[in-house]
């Protein structure tokens, strides 16, 4: 599981900072999460192939999370894209994007599918044989979702020494990986656990931006491996968090601690702060596990 931060600041783009966007690679799938201004430039800067992006998840319709989308869609068209593009976003984004494409006479030459979200309860919005994605209802000024990405349990691993010692035909290897008992070449039943090893523990990633402190998400993200939680403000500016429906670093740490998250990544910083180390310092007072700071261009690998 690999996470690339394309942008992690709030409100407006600046010379050296970008609004929210990130790429998650999980089980050989690539998902773009949010698409603030400058996203396609950062995709190029980080050498991420546009053609690998087939699913885009938009948390809410504030500009610092989606104003880069129509430009990216247009660039895909100019590059001759012919593969489908799926966009999971609050209801209303389809209307915005299609109006822009209509008035600019820039209809795509590929299939563009909008999956409009309206539910205020967590729901499964994407699933294939390796990964599933659930919404995380958040508490912001407009309808907003976070996203929980979960690997499915993989196949068992063959213990080749044991397999060969038990004289099992190669035709049964697939069934062994699927967890079945099989017969050896002499007709003896071989228990699966004697010749295979358990699959790797599936990984999970929760993206939570933007939101006020919200304990109602805890059952959804319980025991998540990696939690990205917005920390727009430091505690000294907590009076700004409540009316704007944002969180402080300390509040993000409290959510991570209660969720038993393995790693906490802080981001969505207000541009009023120059020293981002203060966010980690503040969060560490509450949360004693691994804390990382998002930074434009930073990559995190979770093996």
């Amino acid at each position: 599981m690999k996470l690339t931060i394309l942008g992690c600041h709030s409100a407006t783009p600046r010379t050296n900072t970008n609004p929210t966007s990130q790429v998650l690679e999980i089980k050989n799938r690539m998902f773009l999460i949010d698409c603030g201004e400058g996203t396609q430039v950062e995709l190029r800067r980080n050498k991420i192939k546009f053609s690998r992006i087939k699913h885009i998840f938009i948390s809410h319709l504030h500009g610092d999370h989606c104003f880069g989308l129509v430009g990216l869609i247009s660039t895909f068209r100019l590059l001759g894209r012919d593969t489908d593009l799926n966009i999971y976003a609050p209801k209303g984004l389809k209307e915005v994007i299609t109006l822009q494409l209509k008035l600019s006479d820039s209809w795509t030459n590929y299939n563009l599918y909008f999956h409009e979200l309206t539910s205020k309860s967590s729901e499964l919005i994407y699933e294939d044989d390796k990964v599933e994605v659930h919404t995380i209802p958040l508490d912001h000024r407009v309808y907003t979702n976070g996203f929980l990405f979960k690997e499915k349990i993989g196949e068992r691993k063959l213990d080749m020494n044991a397999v060969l010692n038990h004289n099992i035909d190669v035709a049964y290897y697939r069934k062994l990986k699927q967890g079945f008992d099989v017969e050896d070449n002499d007709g003896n039943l071989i228990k699966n656990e004697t010749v295979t090893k358990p699959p790797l523990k599936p990984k999970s990633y929760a993206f939570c931006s933007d939101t006020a402190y919200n304990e109602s998400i805890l059952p959804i993200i319980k025991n998540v491996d990696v939690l990205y939680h917005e920390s727009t403000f430091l505690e000294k500016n907590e009076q700004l968090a409540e009316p704007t429906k944002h969180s402080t670093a300390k509040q993000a740490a409290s959510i991570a601690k209660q969720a038993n998250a393995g790693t906490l990544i802080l981001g969505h910083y207000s541009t009023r702060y120059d020293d981002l180390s203060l966010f980690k310092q503040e969060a560490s007072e509450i949360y004693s596990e691994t804390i990382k700071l998002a930074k434009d261009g930073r990559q995190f690998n979770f093996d």
Side-chain angles (χ1 to χ4, degrees), residues 159-170 172-173 176 182-196:
D159 181 343
M160 288 309 301
N161 288 332
V163 170
L164 295 174
N165 288 338
H166 282 82
N167 195 25
I168 299 173
D169 192 282
V170 66
Y172 290 114
Y173 286 6
L176 285 173
V182 301
E183 292 183 350
D184 63 15
N185 287 334
D186 297 320
N188 301 309
L189 185 66
I190 306 300
K191 290 292 186 180
N192 186 277
E193 60 268 20
T194 64
V195 291
T196 67

Side-chain angles (χ1 to χ4, degrees), residues 40 43-44 48-53 75-76 79 81:
Q40 62 177 306
L43 286 170
R44 292 189 185 278
I48 295 172
K49 291 184 178 180
F50 287 9
S51 60
R52 290 193 61 197
I53 298 173
T75 294
F76 284 164
L79 294 176
R81 180 188 181 104

